[in-house]
Amino acid sequence: MTGLKMPPANPHIISQLRQLIYYHLDCNLLRNALFLAGRLQAYEPRSSEAAYLLALCHLRLGQIKAAYDSSKNSGSRGTHLGCSYIFAQACLGLERYVEGVTAIDRSRGLWSSRNSWGKHTDTRRQHLPDASAILCLQGKLWQAHDDTNKAIDCYEGALKLNPFMWDALLNLCDLGVNIRMQNVFKMTPEMMSLLSTSSHEETPLGVLDESPPSNALTQSQVNINTMNPTPSANDPFSISKNRINGEIRGNGGTLFEKLNNKKNLVAPIEGNIRLDPDVLDTPTGPLGGMDNQVFSERGIGNVATAPITTEPPLAPIRKGRTLPGLGMDLSNDAPPKMRSSSIARSNTRSKGDSGEQDSTALSRSSTQSSDLKRTVSGKAAQATSGPARPEAGETLNDPGAPQRRSVRLFNHMKTQSGKFAASTGSIGAKDGRELKKAKATGTKGRSANNFNVGRVVSGNRKHGDPMEIDGKEQRPISQTGNNTTNHKPVVSEKVREYEGLQWLLDLFMKLGSGYFALSHYQCQDALKCFNSITTGQRETPWVLAQIGRAHYEQASYLEAEKTFTRIKTMAPSRLDDMEVYSTTLWHLKSDVDLAFLAHEIIEIDRNSPQAWCAVGNSFSLQRDHDQAVKCFKRATQLDPKFAYAFTLQGHEHIANEEYDKALAAYRASITAENRHYNAWYGLGKVFEKQGKYPYAEQHYRTAASINPTNAVLVCCIGNVLEKMKNPKAALVQYTRACELSEKSALSRFKKARVLTALGEPERALVELRVLKDIAPDEANVHFLLGNVYKKLRQKGSAIRHFTMALNLDPKASHYIKEAMESMEDEDDDEDAEM
């Protein structure tokens, strides 16, 4: 049985499928979107757009290999921007970095000048990435490929185009790049131009003091998106964009919103729109740019759409009539006055056209019916033989006078006198017909209770009566002295928009400065930056996690523990930085809290590396190093790039004296993250235990170059130098360690010990007196104090501190008693000499 031959592709079917796919993607119904993308791919198998949507659904579902295969044909060749972007993302996940970079480079002509800044709102979006997003992805590919210089260049380019590309900033900080935050978070030319453009476009097209609520506009935009998708538009979320010289401008979208109502809306084809800005400023002339190019399709309910021609077929012949409010002649004949038979004729034409398939005729007939529903005062027209009652200030002698509410196509249109209506009577039939179409679209489906505006419009409308206003039309601005006052809201709105953007830039600069300082282990500076932001922004999980890490790096474990406890209360399911929290509890020897944290994280996500790091730390605190190693190995299996798990695994191997395995673990950690100073410290510790002091010093210095503010690393360098019989160089390192951390007991103790060995007991005594206040219950401190007093020949003080050391550490009684006996022997020798 042979299959049916596929008919030519219908653009309306393609449009509906795309609209449905994006609808389900936005609703996070990914399986539905994937199914619909498969239908679109089957209906249009050679389309790159269909391949892009299919690959996008696979990527959202985590099916990286399927996304790679779906986008490879167009993405690898760089012929479609969306396919190339999805293909590069899939290559990043599949560790095929060179392929991803090549695909991005081949599609450079499609994205190099693309900037989507300010073009994403609640109802319209750019579904294809711009240059900033692509450069950030390319930087990730180069970084994963270990080409740091190219990665840095890409990240810098992304931040220049969009300072809010937070991912690029974090990666630059993690790479150790020096960044001037004030040069990153500042107004870009694109921001300033868009702010000025937005203000310039709103001034002529928006009634500033009588505009409807913003929610009405949003609802109308939603209806446009959902009811009439554009068949050939690249962006299904765009209402109708006016493309001029390849740039998207807001005039077109706003114009169509003004012309369209909430039902049966016009969906213009994006590629054919060419609006001259001068037309918008000349409402009295024919709209030359708004012909069939603008109104390309029309949809009524579920009726299939049909193209509109200049002379609609099957439309009954009718007499010319004046366009309400403008007095424009819709035919070559003079416009007659309104007669009572107009209503009956309109109803008859509406019934006669109800069975026609042509959507243009249906729209026109329904529009004529709705045009006669109200007079200019908003009241229903009376079917009487006499003429309609005029408004105050109007005359019946003028055939072009407005008989009903005026068609307000543009908000900047000024109120004119009767001469304006008369002067427009010579407009051609074609232009008048196009304006008639705009009127039909704007009035169809209008409800009388959309808004309740308490304003006296005419003598027939009472104050507080509901006024029928669609979501797009406004009153014309009068040419009076109040015109200047009406522009004040635009200026204030622009100022508020500028201030809001500047506030965001300042906030991001403080957050970025704090993260930059923390990535360079300048913990005090990081804390100052994070504490300078507002309380609402500071009391968030991400900021508190950075504050907790800063306290942890300073060895302020109690403060770090308090901070992470607040995070768990605020975000109980948070997993990021929980490995630091578990290590903090390990340092505090809080075995119960650590065990509870491990069970809690395992219940949240047992497939997260943070959970297995917490479990491993709990076993390590219980001296079960073998089980701890197994847990840390499980963490590295779940995430081979999780460097800290390799480091913790190496620590456990050192505890088991498995130095070769420890070296392998630390080297794997450096491979995952070469700036992970803990791994360099671990390598130095292994070499020190093996007696390879030069190698140990080298690795300690590498760790200290990454984290120059860590007193422990500097003290380790001094310890190795001391073992290498270089006490003076060791003293320099110990002195620096004491300057970095004045409360570091270990650094001060080793400094005093070196001073004693160098024959400077007075300086050693100064350090030991400070140390005694820091660690009053440390036996080694009192023992060293006894030796110093012994060298200074202060026998009473020496015996007192030797006795205190003996009481604090009875196991060291042998060494303490020898020191006391040696002091007595020296006294006996002195007496013998005398």
Side-chain angles (χ1 to χ4, degrees):
M1 180 178 180
T2 59
L4 296 176
K5 188 176 181 180
M6 181 177 294
N10 188 335
H12 304 286
I13 296 176
I14 297 173
S15 173
Q16 287 295 330
L17 283 174
R18 290 180 183 175
Q19 187 269 339
L20 288 172
I21 292 170
Y22 279 106
Y23 167 79
H24 287 93
L25 285 174
D26 285 345
C27 294
N28 201 28
L29 301 174
L30 303 181
R31 291 290 179 183
N32 294 350
L34 179 62
F35 176 78
L36 290 166
R39 301 313 98 214
L40 179 62
Q41 176 74 6
Y43 187 78
E44 201 178 13
R46 296 183 180 180
S47 172
S48 298
E49 184 72 15
Y52 160 69
L53 291 174
L54 183 63
L56 177 63
C57 295
H58 283 302
L59 189 67
R60 294 275 184 93
L61 285 168
Q63 302 170 359
I64 301 178
K65 189 61 172 65
Y68 174 88
D69 294 333
S70 300
S71 60
K72 184 176 181 179
N73 186 24
S74 299
S76 61
R77 293 183 288 111
T79 57
H80 188 272
L81 177 58
C83 290
S84 297
Y85 189 67
I86 298 297
F87 181 76
Q89 286 182 309
C91 289
L92 181 63
L94 297 175
E95 300 182 358
R96 301 178 180 180
Y97 310 122
V98 177
E99 292 186 44
V101 171
T102 304
I104 290 178
D105 286 337
R106 288 177 178 175
S107 62
R108 182 175 296 273
L110 301 176
W111 58 264
S112 58
S113 60
R114 187 181 179 90
N115 193 336
S116 300
W117 172 261
K119 299 175 183 177
H120 290 252
T121 63
D122 294 338
T123 55
R124 56 176 75 179
R125 297 207 308 270
Q126 298 290 320
H127 68 286
L128 293 178
D130 61 354
S132 179
I134 295 177
L135 284 173
C136 184
L137 175 60
Q138 192 174 22
K140 293 178 182 178
L141 289 166
W142 282 124
Q143 184 179 1
H145 192 56
D146 294 331
D147 196 332
T148 305
N149 294 329
K150 292 183 179 180
I152 292 173
D153 293 339
C154 292
Y155 290 142
E156 289 178 353
L159 284 175
K160 288 179 182 178
L161 295 174
N162 184 1
F164 295 104
M165 191 60 65
W166 186 248
D167 211 8
L169 179 70
L170 297 185
N171 290 334
L172 283 176
C173 293
D174 293 337
L175 289 173
V177 180
N178 291 324
I179 306 173
R180 293 184 179 180
M181 292 297 166
Q182 62 272 17
N183 293 337
V184 175
F185 297 105
K186 63 181 180 180
M187 286 287 185
T188 63
E190 290 79 8
M191 296 180 186
M192 298 303 297
S193 63
L194 283 172
L195 285 175
S196 60
T197 302
S198 176
S199 174
H200 177 72
E201 291 173 356
E202 289 175 3
T203 302
L205 295 181
V207 177
L208 306 177
D209 59 342
E210 297 180 2
S211 58
S214 59
N215 57 355
L217 180 61
T218 304
Q219 179 63 32
S220 179
Q221 290 173 345
V222 172
N223 291 338
I224 292 174
N225 292 334
T226 56
M227 294 184 63
N228 288 303
T230 306
S232 61
N234 291 329
D235 186 3
F237 299 95
S238 177
I239 296 175
S240 58
K241 299 190 181 75
N242 179 21
R243 293 185 176 269
I244 300 178
N245 297 329
E247 295 182 359
I248 301 175
R249 301 178 57 126
N251 289 352
T254 306
L255 176 62
F256 290 117
E257 293 167 10
K258 300 293 178 183
L259 298 178
N260 296 334
N261 199 3
K262 298 182 179 179
K263 294 182 180 180
N264 309 330
L265 301 173
V266 175
I269 295 180
E270 179 181 0
N272 295 333
I273 300 174
R274 295 291 186 273
L275 289 182
D276 189 354
D278 296 334
V279 175
L280 302 180
D281 296 332
T282 314
T284 58
L287 301 182
M290 293 177 55
D291 51 7
N292 296 331
Q293 290 181 351
V294 174
F295 302 102
S296 57
E297 290 180 355
R298 187 185 303 263
I300 302 179
N302 296 327
V303 180
T305 58
I308 292 178
T309 60
T310 305
E311 297 297 334
L314 303 180
I317 301 175
R318 59 186 179 88
K319 295 182 179 181
R321 185 169 60 84
T322 302
L323 186 65
L326 296 180
M328 292 185 176
D329 191 1
L330 302 184
S331 66
N332 294 326
D333 299 330
K337 296 182 180 179
M338 179 184 294
R339 296 188 300 274
S340 61
S341 60
S342 300
I343 301 176
R345 183 177 67 253
S346 177
N347 293 337
T348 303
R349 291 183 61 235
S350 177
K351 292 180 181 180
D353 294 345
S354 61
E356 298 293 335
Q357 296 297 325
D358 182 57
S359 60
T360 306
L362 289 175
S363 299
R364 182 178 292 107
S365 62
S366 59
T367 302
Q368 292 172 0
S369 298
S370 61
D371 285 345
L372 302 182
K373 289 182 180 179
R374 292 184 180 275
T375 64
V376 70
S377 63
K379 299 293 183 178
Q382 301 295 329
T384 60
S385 59
R389 187 178 64 180
E391 292 290 339
E394 296 178 357
T395 61
L396 292 173
N397 298 328
D398 188 0
Q403 291 124 2
R404 292 183 304 279
R405 186 169 60 89
S406 63
V407 178
R408 290 177 288 276
L409 295 178
F410 308 99
N411 290 340
H412 69 292
M413 185 178 294
K414 313 299 182 181
T415 304
Q416 303 292 337
S417 62
K419 295 180 180 180
F420 167 78
S423 64
T424 57
S426 60
I427 298 178
K430 178 179 179 180
D431 299 315
R433 184 180 296 108
E434 293 304 324
L435 288 176
K436 175 61 184 175
K437 293 177 182 178
K439 172 64 181 178
T441 308
T443 58
K444 188 172 180 61
R446 180 181 294 124
S447 60
N449 55 358
N450 286 341
F451 299 99
N452 188 4
V453 180
R455 189 182 301 272
V456 178
V457 179
S458 66
N460 293 338
R461 184 179 301 279
K462 296 180 180 181
H463 182 80
D465 288 346
M467 180 179 176
E468 184 179 56
I469 303 176
D470 58 10
K472 307 297 176 291
E473 294 181 347
Q474 305 296 333
R475 289 187 184 87
I477 299 176
S478 61
Q479 296 178 349
T480 61
N482 296 332
N483 195 19
T484 304
T485 305
N486 291 341
H487 283 277
K488 289 183 178 179
V490 161
V491 177
S492 62
E493 184 66 24
K494 178 183 177 181
V495 171
R496 284 195 296 267
E497 188 175 357
Y498 176 84
E499 291 176 350
L501 187 56
Q502 190 62 52
W503 184 88
L504 282 177
L505 290 171
D506 293 340
L507 173 64
F508 272 65
M509 184 174 66
K510 293 177 181 179
L511 293 174
S513 299
Y515 190 86
F516 172 79
L518 184 58
S519 64
H520 288 72
Y521 302 99
Q522 301 170 359
C523 300
Q524 286 297 330
D525 295 339
L527 290 174
K528 290 180 182 178
C529 292
F530 290 130
N531 290 327
S532 65
I533 63 178
T534 60
T535 304
Q537 293 292 329
R538 185 173 61 253
E539 295 298 319
T540 53
W542 188 88
V543 178
L544 288 177
Q546 310 312 309
I547 294 175
R549 284 182 54 202
H551 287 305
Y552 168 80
E553 294 295 343
Q554 290 182 315
S556 301
Y557 300 121
L558 289 175
E559 293 296 328
E561 191 269 340
K562 293 178 182 178
T563 304
F564 283 115
T565 301
R566 289 161 59 192
I567 295 175
K568 288 298 295 181
T569 303
M570 186 181 303
S573 301
R574 181 181 174 86
L575 295 174
D576 294 338
D577 303 298
M578 287 299 105
E579 72 280 1
V580 181
Y581 184 24
S582 64
T583 307
T584 301
L585 295 176
W586 185 92
H587 283 289
L588 295 174
K589 311 301 179 185
S590 301
D591 53 349
V592 177
D593 293 338
L594 182 54
F596 179 76
L597 175 66
H599 283 286
E600 192 176 23
I601 301 179
I602 282 290
E603 290 179 357
I604 295 173
D605 186 5
R606 65 183 303 108
N607 291 325
S608 63
Q610 295 88 348
W612 290 102
C613 284
V615 176
N617 278 329
S618 180
F619 280 117
S620 177
L621 190 58
Q622 299 172 11
R623 308 296 184 191
D624 193 348
H625 301 296
D626 293 333
Q627 290 296 328
V629 168
K630 292 180 181 179
C631 294
F632 295 139
K633 283 185 177 180
R634 177 58 179 162
T636 58
Q637 290 174 355
L638 293 171
D639 187 0
K641 297 294 183 180
F642 200 72
Y644 193 57
F646 287 108
T647 301
L648 293 176
Q649 182 180 338
H651 293 342
E652 298 305 313
H653 286 307
I654 289 180
N656 286 336
E657 298 183 354
E658 300 172 347
Y659 298 128
D660 292 338
K661 293 182 179 179
L663 288 175
Y666 289 134
R667 286 165 179 164
S669 177
I670 293 173
T671 301
E673 182 182 349
N674 59 355
R675 293 189 74 249
H676 192 60
Y677 78 93
N678 303 75
W680 291 102
Y681 161 79
L683 288 174
K685 182 63 66 177
V686 171
F687 289 126
E688 182 181 357
K689 288 185 175 295
Q690 291 178 343
K692 301 177 181 179
Y693 300 125
Y695 292 104
E697 179 191 0
Q698 178 183 354
H699 288 84
Y700 281 145
R701 289 188 181 276
T702 303
S705 65
I706 298 173
N707 187 358
T709 61
N710 194 307
V712 175
L713 296 176
V714 179
C715 188
C716 289
I717 297 173
N719 189 35
V720 172
L721 292 173
E722 189 178 359
K723 291 181 179 180
M724 294 170 66
K725 308 301 181 181
N726 192 355
K728 292 184 178 180
L731 179 61
V732 174
Q733 299 297 324
Y734 292 145
T735 303
R736 183 179 168 217
C738 292
E739 293 174 354
L740 292 173
S741 178
E742 296 180 356
K743 296 182 179 180
S744 176
L746 180 62
S747 302
R748 203 168 291 274
F749 175 78
K750 292 189 175 184
K751 180 181 179 182
R753 188 177 64 185
V754 171
L755 288 171
T756 304
L758 291 174
E760 300 183 15
E762 294 83 2
R763 293 177 60 187
L765 182 60
V766 174
E767 300 294 337
L768 288 172
R769 285 175 177 174
V770 177
L771 184 59
K772 183 181 65 174
D773 297 333
I774 298 175
D777 297 331
E778 183 62 39
N780 291 328
V781 174
H782 291 284
F783 179 73
L784 187 56
L785 268 171
N787 286 328
V788 170
Y789 281 120
K790 176 183 173 182
K791 288 180 180 288
L792 294 174
R793 297 184 180 281
Q794 299 180 14
K795 183 177 179 181
S797 298
I799 292 176
R800 183 174 70 252
H801 285 285
F802 280 139
T803 305
M804 294 175 66
L806 184 62
N807 294 331
L808 291 172
D809 190 6
K811 295 180 180 180
S813 60
H814 176 68
Y815 301 100
I816 299 173
K817 288 180 180 180
E818 284 183 358
M820 295 175 68
E821 290 174 357
S822 64
M823 185 174 58
E824 294 177 357
D825 294 339
E826 290 177 0
D827 293 340
D828 294 340
D829 293 340
E830 291 179 0
D831 294 338
E833 291 178 358
M834 293 178 65

